[in-house]
Amino acid sequence: MKPLLTWFATSLLAASGPEPLPLPAIPFAPRHYVCQRALKAPVLDGRLDDEVWQKAAWTEDFVDIEGPLKPAPRLRTRAKLAWDDEYLYVAAELEEPDVWAYQTARDSVVFQDNDFEIFIDPDGSTSPYYEFEMNALGTVWDLLLLRPYRDGARVAVNGWDYHGLKRAVAVQGTLNHPGDQDRGWTVEVALPWAALTEVAARSGAPRPGDRWRLNFSRVEWRTQVVDGRYEKRKGPGGQPLPEDNWVWSPQGIIAMHYPEMWGFVQFSAEPAGAPEKAATLTPEDQVAWALRRVYYAQRNHRPGSSRYGATLKELALEDLKLPEGWTLRLEGGEATWSAEARDVKGTRLCIDPQGALRREAIVK
């Protein structure tokens, strides 16, 4: 999920008080994946031997959540995706010499174990989005986030469930058995479109060419064996050492709940394994990022001023440039602010003070 536990407190303060909002410390360069069709649905048994998984491309290996600011993970993690009219399919492979898991109750804090996590923002607005976590026992924590933790308290709907969810785990070794060396564990997840589009701009499966924001995360704790059981290693103060957070698309900050930094998944009509043109950032993606920078700047400008910024100079954003054909409109006052960008073709992108991004066609 991670944030570390301390991040939750920090993010809530940032949303409601004078504390500055921490920002990603890497350039905006999300990873891309082209998700192709599954002509035959995989058998959900945790083993990645189905035809679709033999043909689908792997993501890049996961990196540290802070990206190049930190060393590469010591264990390999990667994922695959496919889709049909009913489900989004996700498979993952987690290298692990000691596979363990103890959380058994649904919606428990699964990341207290080593886990695999999926984050999904169907319309790219950052508000709302979905989170899914699973450990090597197959225990699930799924929830709906009305908006990121930085934007307010009580934003997580923990009682929300992926209705129709299917998942499975296969362990390449022995679970919860210290003394031998495992190879790892693999997971398969089928996420129904009916649940994933409950809060999206449209219902049902995506259309070919649609692009969603997704990311994958892996939480890995350093452990030792005590009385035949895995326990987290502790630091000098007696608290567990911080967990490692490894992700597909780097966040540049120890916080998964910055959906604007997640990767892009583009849905294709081609079957898994077919030749495919690589997906890349679009001018509209660059505009959305420019508006996100305005949001960051307004959040950090207001606590030290009597009003929100009304110009890019006030916000120290003189370097902010939009792609050709786009224009920015910015307003700021004592109580609130607004920012939007329009292009010559009639598209409008706007971001509100709560950080939600919206796209609409301009009616002339």
Side-chain angles (χ1 to χ4, degrees), residues 9-285:
T10 302
S11 63
L12 292 179
L13 284 171
S16 59
E19 295 293 325
L21 179 70
L23 306 182
I26 60 175
F28 178 68
R31 286 178 161 177
H32 292 75
Y33 185 92
V34 177
C35 181
Q36 298 180 314
R37 297 275 299 186
L39 299 182
K40 181 179 180 182
V43 176
L44 274 291
D45 56 10
R47 294 187 291 272
L48 311 187
D49 53 3
D50 305 272
E51 181 180 6
V52 64
W53 298 137
Q54 296 299 310
K55 293 182 177 180
W58 287 109
T59 63
E60 301 92 335
D61 288 355
F62 287 19
V63 297
D64 187 88
I65 193 170
E66 295 186 80
L69 304 177
K70 292 294 176 67
R74 61 185 181 278
L75 300 171
R76 187 185 201 187
T77 315
R78 53 184 182 168
K80 296 186 177 194
L81 297 95
W83 70 292
D84 59 21
D85 291 340
E86 300 296 326
Y87 294 97
L88 171 64
Y89 301 103
V90 179
E93 178 185 79
L94 298 86
E95 182 183 63
E96 176 58 71
D98 294 293
V99 182
W100 63 275
Y102 297 124
Q103 302 291 326
T104 58
R106 183 163 187 153
D107 291 338
S108 58
V109 184
V110 170
F111 70 82
Q112 290 295 339
D113 293 342
N114 293 343
D115 78 349
F116 175 72
E117 305 176 357
I118 306 170
F119 295 83
I120 304 176
D121 180 5
D123 63 5
S125 68
T126 76
S127 301
Y129 58 91
Y130 306 98
E131 178 178 351
F132 169 90
E133 303 185 6
M134 186 169 72
N135 66 9
L137 284 169
T139 303
V140 166
W141 185 12
D142 50 357
L143 62 160
L144 169 69
L145 282 300
L146 301 178
R147 55 186 182 274
Y149 290 103
R150 69 192 177 206
D151 292 320
R154 292 195 281 276
V155 298
V157 183
N158 198 50
W160 181 88
D161 289 333
Y162 281 118
H163 295 294
L165 167 75
K166 299 179 182 180
R167 84 278 191 187
V169 176
V171 176
Q172 292 78 56
T174 53
L175 180 66
N176 295 333
H177 183 75
D180 63 358
Q181 182 165 319
D182 307 317
R183 288 190 293 116
W185 53 297
T186 48
V187 305
E188 288 179 289
V189 182
L191 300 168
W193 298 119
L196 285 174
T197 54
E198 285 181 354
V199 295
R202 59 183 302 272
S203 61
R207 296 179 289 258
D210 285 356
R211 300 159 75 241
W212 286 22
R213 303 301 300 271
L214 277 81
N215 212 348
F216 305 107
S217 174
R218 173 181 178 176
V219 169
E220 183 75 12
W221 297 90
R222 296 180 184 268
T223 60
Q224 59 188 353
V225 178
V226 179
D227 296 329
R229 180 184 172 90
Y230 293 105
E231 291 189 0
K232 296 168 187 170
R233 294 183 185 178
K234 294 182 173 60
Q239 296 299 313
L241 295 173
E243 75 274 28
D244 289 310
N245 297 278
W246 302 329
V247 304
W248 167 48
S249 194
Q251 298 286 110
I253 184 173
I254 306 176
M256 283 304 299
H257 294 273
Y258 276 56
E260 62 271 20
M261 296 299 289
W262 298 350
F264 286 90
V265 170
Q266 180 171 309
F267 295 94
S268 169
E270 296 296 324
E276 195 77 63
K277 182 179 180 180
T280 59
L281 286 175
T282 68
E284 193 167 307
D285 298 331

Side-chain angles (χ1 to χ4, degrees), residues 294-342:
V294 172
Y295 159 79
Y296 291 156
Q298 294 285 23
R299 280 287 304 270
N300 286 335
H301 176 78
R302 182 64 173 82
S305 174
S306 61
R307 56 185 293 118
Y308 291 101
T311 67
L312 294 179
K313 183 176 181 180
E314 284 183 80
L315 297 173
L317 291 177
E318 293 96 330
D319 66 326
L320 190 147
K321 306 294 182 184
L322 297 185
E324 184 177 356
W326 287 86
T327 57
L328 176 70
R329 179 181 178 183
L330 173 64
E331 295 183 355
E334 294 182 4
T336 191
W337 61 272
S338 65
E340 67 173 48
R342 299 188 181 198

